[in-house]
Every structure is written in structure tokens, then in C-alpha cells.
């Protein structure tokens, strides 16, 4: 029987209790952020004590869950509604807390077996599913819809039409996508952290994958921090503090990561009709609000505000900083073309993620005896979606340019010939 090494003796336990703490911390953090954001947005005034249920629905959508809208308006009326949006501020907080809880028991380790990592992840996944099931069952509510003060309201009173709209969750899909979200967070945590152990067979990949993954997380978080600073300054100097706080707590990454892709040259298409609005600066709402599908890029935005070109400079600086971080964490022997390829692949995947989670779609309409046509004053719709291949092409191009530049800048700060495997 071989003696135990000091590393083995110091091995921290990571059982069900630790998994429960990690999951509970993540759910509570997401719930607090969602509640504060919804409170700032005015949801505290919702009828029938619906606020906790709306908070639960917000957390569910933040992790990829499916919330379905439904409407009833009686036999003489028709209603229709749908909503697809991810509150990425809530998503980001939950991912950071869950990743920290996953990595904490694994710190100070050089290597971990695949069975050990799988067992630890399985405990977290099982408890996460239970928490998500509770949230999905709680996220259900129905609201009455006012018909207003015009002829449509008179028809509603005459025929006893009482339109309602509500939301519920598709529990199986919510559990499936929520589990996939959690798995993605845990895998990304292993890829990003140099202090996290990997199975021996995967150690050879850490020199190329981990620095690039870490650099992309730095880039995304740097955009969020910069956006938060700008938002707080706007709230203090221009008023509308509650509305700005709601945007920061619910959709800040939706806004700043959209700006990141636009700064890199991407184009989005969208439209805003009716009472809907987008949680973003007025200039974007101006471009998107109209009778036709609008194009959202540097050119169209600059027609309304020339300062938008500063996005290019800001994102170029942030991307160059990310390239420097990637190169500084890579082995000295890494060549310029390798830096270019690694950053291009990483940035392309990052922009792909933004394009997938940053889409917005919403619609609501009501008609009584054919009046209203599921639109008009009692309806509206909005959507925002990217031109995917253009966005990915620009991301690859920027990565190919910034990668070698980051390697040049990081050359003087290299102190080791290879990436550490013990930290």
C-alpha cells in the first residue's frame, strides 16, 4: 500500500453538503438580482401578489428555461402572446456563483481523475435540477388585461369579454435546458481556471485552450464593468435612476455584448412596434422603431449619433488587452500564428454565444369580434436578431489581427517557458 502524499492528505471534501451550499448560493444570488431588477422596473406593483412568481420566471429564463405565455378572452375574442428573452445580468451572476462553488473544493490540485470530477459535477447537477424544478413549478401566474376606454372596451362590457394573459413553464424543457446550462458553466469553469485540476489525459490541451478561454471571459466581464460604470454615471447625471438600475440588474450584458458585436462590425436586424421598448439607449430604439425591419450596425447608428464610432476604438482596446492576457498566460514557445488562430477561434465562439443568447422576440395582440386584429393599440411586437455569418466573419478577422499583436506585447513579461500546471 503506497503512502499518501501531502496533496492527497489535504484533499478537500466535496460531497452533498458542499454541493447544496453551491447550488443554494447560486439560486439565491440570481433571485436577489432578479428581484431587485424587477422591483426597480415597477413589477412590485403587480396584482395578486405575483411578484415572487415573476421573479421565479425570470430566474428560469435566465438559465435557458422555457416560459410560455397564454391568453384567454372568451368565446367572442382572441388573444395571442409570446416572449423570448434572456435576462443576462441574472444569468451572469448565477454562472459566476455556481462556477465559484464548483471550483472551490478543487483548488490547490494539479490533477484530478475524471471519475472524481464527474461525481462532483453529478452532485451539483442533481441538486440543481431539484432547485430548478421548484422554480419552474412556482413560475405560474395569470393577469387581467384592460381593454381601455374606447369602443373596444364597450364591446368587451357588452359581451362579457374579460381578456387575461398569463405565463407558465414547460417543465421538461426547462429541466433539460437548465441542466445543459449548468453543465456548460462547469465545463467553462474548468477551461478558464488555471487553479482547477484536469484529468491527466487532458493536460496537454490546457496550453492552447485555457489562456484563450480565460481571455474571452476577461473580455466579456470588462465590457460588463465598463457598461455598469457608464450606466451609473448616466443614472446620477441624467435621472431615471430606477429605470437605469432595472436595465443594469436585468439586461446589462444584453446591451454591452450587443455593443461588443456591433463594435466589431456585426449587423443586427430588428423592429419595435406598439408599447414595447428595448432596455437600451434611445438611439437604438429610434433606429428599430418603424414600419419596416431596420438594420442595426455602425453605419445606421452613426446617422443618429456619430459618437457610436467610439465603439470601434473601445472594443479594439479591450480586445487587444484580452489578446495580451491570452499570450501572457501561454507558453513562451507559442508562435504568432498560433496566437492568431487561438484568439480567432475563441472570439468566433464567443460572438456565436452572444448571437444565440442575445436574440429578443416578443408579441402580444388582442381582438374582439375581429376589431383589433391582434395588434393596434392593444398589441405590439419586437424582435432583434443578428446576421450570424457576418458577425462570425468579423470576429474571426479581429482575432487573427489581435492575436499576434497580443503576443508581441506580452513577449517582455513572459517568465516561464510553459503554462503552470500546479496553479
Amino acid at each position: 500500500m503506497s503512502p499518501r502524499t501531502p496533496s492527497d492528505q489535504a484533499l478537500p471534501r466535496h460531497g452533498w453538503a458542499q454541493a447544496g451550499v453551491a447550488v443554494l448560493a447560486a439560486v439565491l444570488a440570481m433571485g436577489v438580482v432578479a428581484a431587485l431588477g424587477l422591483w426597480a422596473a415597477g413589477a412590485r406593483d403587480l396584482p395578486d401578489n405575483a411578484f415572487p412568481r415573476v421573479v421565479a420566471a425570470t430566474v428560469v429564463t435566465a438559465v435557458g428555461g422555457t416560459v410560455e405565455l397564454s391568453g384567454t378572452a372568451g368565446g367572442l375574442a382572441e388573444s395571442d402572446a409570446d416572449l423570448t428573452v434572456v435576462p443576462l445580468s441574472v444569468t451572469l451572476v448565477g454562472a459566476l456563483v455556481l462556477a465559484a462553488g464548483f471550483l472551490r473544493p478543487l483548488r490547490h490540485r494539479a490533477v484530478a481523475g475524471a471519475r472524481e470530477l464527474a461525481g462532483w459535477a453529478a452532485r451539483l447537477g442533481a441538486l440543481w435540477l431539484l432547485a430548478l424544478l421548484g422554480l419552474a413549478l412556482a413560475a405560474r401566474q395569470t393577469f387581467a388585461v384592460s381593454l381601455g376606454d374606447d369602443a373596444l372596451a364597450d364591446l368587451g362590457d357588452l359581451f362579457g369579454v374579460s381578456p387575461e394573459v398569463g405565463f407558465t413553464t414547460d417543465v421538461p424543457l426547462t429541466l433539460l435546458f437548465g441542466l445543459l446550462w449548468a453543465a456548460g458553466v462547469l465545463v467553462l469553469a474548468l477551461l478558464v481556471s488555471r487553479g482547477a485540476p484536469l484529468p491527466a489525459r487532458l493536460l496537454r490541451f490546457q496550453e492552447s485552450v485555457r489562456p484563450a478561454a480565460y481571455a474571452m471571459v476577461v473580455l466579456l466581464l470588462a465590457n460588463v464593468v465598463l457598461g455598469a460604470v457608464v450606466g451609473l454615471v448616466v443614472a446620477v447625471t441624467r435621472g431615471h435612476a430606477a429605470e437605469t438600475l432595472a436595465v443594469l440588474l436585468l439586461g446589462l450584458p444584453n446591451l454591452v455584448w450587443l455593443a461588443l458585436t456591433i463594435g466589431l462590425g456585426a449587423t443586427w436586424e430588428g423592429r419595435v412596434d406598439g408599447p414595447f421598448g428595448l432596455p437600451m439607449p434611445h438611439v437604438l430604439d429610434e433606429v428599430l422603431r418603424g414600419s419596416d425591419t431596420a438594420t442595426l450596425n455602425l453605419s445606421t447608428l452613426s446617422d443618429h449619433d456619430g459618437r457610436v464610432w467610439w465603439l470601434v476604438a473601445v472594443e479594439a482596446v479591450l480586445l487587444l488587452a484580452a489578446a495580451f492576457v491570452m499570450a501572457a498566460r501561454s507558453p513562451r514557445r507559442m508562435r504568432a500564428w498560433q496566437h492568431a488562430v487561438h484568439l480567432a477561434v475563441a472570439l468566433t465562439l464567443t460572438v456565436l454565444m452572444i448571437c444565440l443568447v442575445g436574440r429578443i422576440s416578443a408579441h402580444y395582440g388582442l381582438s374582439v369580434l375581429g376589431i383589433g386584429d391582434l395588434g393596434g393599440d392593444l398589441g405590439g411586437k419586437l424582435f432583434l436578431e443578428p446576421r450570424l455569418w457576418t458577425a462570425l466573419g468579423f470576429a474571426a478577422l479581429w482575432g487573427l489581427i489581435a492575436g499576434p499583436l497580443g503576443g508581441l506585447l506580452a513577449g517582455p513579461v513572459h517568465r516561464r517557458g510553459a503554462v503552470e500546471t500546479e496553479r
Side-chain angles (χ1 to χ4, degrees):
M1 180 176 178
S2 60
R4 298 176 65 188
T5 66
S7 175
D8 294 331
Q9 295 172 357
L11 176 64
R13 295 181 60 83
H14 40 276
W16 288 102
Q18 289 76 12
V21 170
V23 170
L24 181 61
V27 172
L28 286 178
M30 298 175 77
V32 168
V33 172
L36 291 175
L38 292 168
W39 179 85
R44 61 189 181 279
D45 298 324
L46 289 172
D48 301 327
N49 296 317
F51 184 74
R53 298 178 181 87
V54 175
V55 172
T58 303
V59 175
V60 166
T61 58
V63 299
T66 302
V67 174
E68 299 177 342
L69 298 184
S70 60
T72 59
L76 301 176
E78 182 182 0
S79 64
D80 180 43
D82 66 77
L83 174 66
T84 303
V85 62
V86 180
L88 289 178
S89 291
V90 182
T91 303
L92 180 61
V93 169
L96 292 175
V97 175
L98 185 63
F102 173 66
L103 293 175
R104 181 176 173 78
L106 301 175
R107 65 192 187 280
H108 310 310
R109 302 279 305 284
V111 180
R115 181 178 298 180
E116 177 189 355
L117 291 176
W120 175 221
R123 294 184 185 94
L124 284 170
L127 295 179
W128 174 253
L129 281 178
L130 289 177
L132 197 57
L133 177 61
L135 289 169
L137 294 177
R140 305 166 180 268
Q141 185 67 38
T142 301
F143 303 96
V145 178
S146 173
L147 292 175
D149 299 322
D150 54 13
L152 196 61
D154 296 335
L155 285 173
D157 293 336
L158 178 62
F159 293 103
V161 173
S162 300
E164 294 180 336
V165 63
F167 62 87
T168 185
T169 53
D170 186 325
V171 176
L173 283 180
T174 294
L175 296 180
L176 173 61
F177 289 122
L179 183 60
L180 292 176
W181 177 85
V185 169
L186 301 187
V187 170
L188 184 61
L190 284 177
L191 291 179
V192 169
S193 175
R194 282 197 300 184
L198 289 175
R201 293 181 179 180
L202 299 181
L203 288 176
R204 57 178 176 167
F205 296 110
Q206 68 175 342
E207 292 184 351
S208 58
V209 175
R210 276 186 164 172
Y214 181 83
M216 292 301 97
V217 172
V218 168
L219 177 64
L220 293 176
L221 293 180
N223 276 273
V224 171
V225 171
L226 183 59
V229 171
V230 172
L232 292 175
V233 171
V234 169
V236 171
T237 59
R238 299 186 182 180
H240 305 289
E243 292 84 350
T244 303
L245 184 61
V247 172
L248 295 180
L249 291 171
L250 293 175
L252 178 60
N254 299 71
L255 174 58
V256 297
W257 293 347
L258 170 68
L260 166 61
T261 63
I262 292 176
L264 297 179
T267 295
W268 292 65
E269 295 179 339
R271 179 180 174 184
V272 179
D273 281 333
F276 289 119
L278 293 175
M280 53 183 59
H282 181 63
V283 61
L284 300 185
D285 190 75
E286 280 187 339
V287 174
L288 293 172
R289 192 173 293 278
S291 57
D292 299 320
T293 299
T295 299
L296 194 66
N297 55 30
L298 289 169
S299 178
T300 57
L301 290 174
S302 65
D303 292 338
H304 295 263
D305 191 340
R307 292 174 298 179
V308 73
W309 287 104
W310 281 101
L311 276 178
V312 180
V314 170
E315 299 304 339
V317 171
L318 293 178
L319 182 58
L320 189 59
F324 168 83
V325 170
M326 182 193 73
R329 294 170 69 95
S330 299
R332 181 190 296 271
R333 63 178 179 273
M334 200 75 71
R335 298 182 178 180
W337 69 267
Q338 292 174 301
H339 288 308
V341 172
H342 293 166
L343 189 62
V345 171
L347 186 59
T348 300
L349 293 176
T350 300
V351 170
L352 175 61
M353 179 273 296
I354 295 173
C355 290
L356 294 177
V357 303
R359 299 168 182 261
I360 300 175
S361 174
H363 170 261
Y364 175 71
L366 173 69
S367 65
V368 178
L369 293 176
I371 301 175
D373 195 25
L374 292 178
D377 294 335
L378 287 175
K381 63 181 177 181
L382 71 85
F383 73 90
L384 183 65
E385 57 186 27
R387 292 181 182 173
L388 185 59
W389 294 111
T390 302
L392 298 183
F394 274 112
L397 180 61
W398 277 89
L400 291 174
I401 296 173
L405 293 177
L408 290 175
L409 293 175
V413 304
H414 281 172
R415 297 181 181 180
R416 292 174 175 82
V419 171
E420 292 179 296
T421 60
E422 297 182 356
R423 292 189 59 188

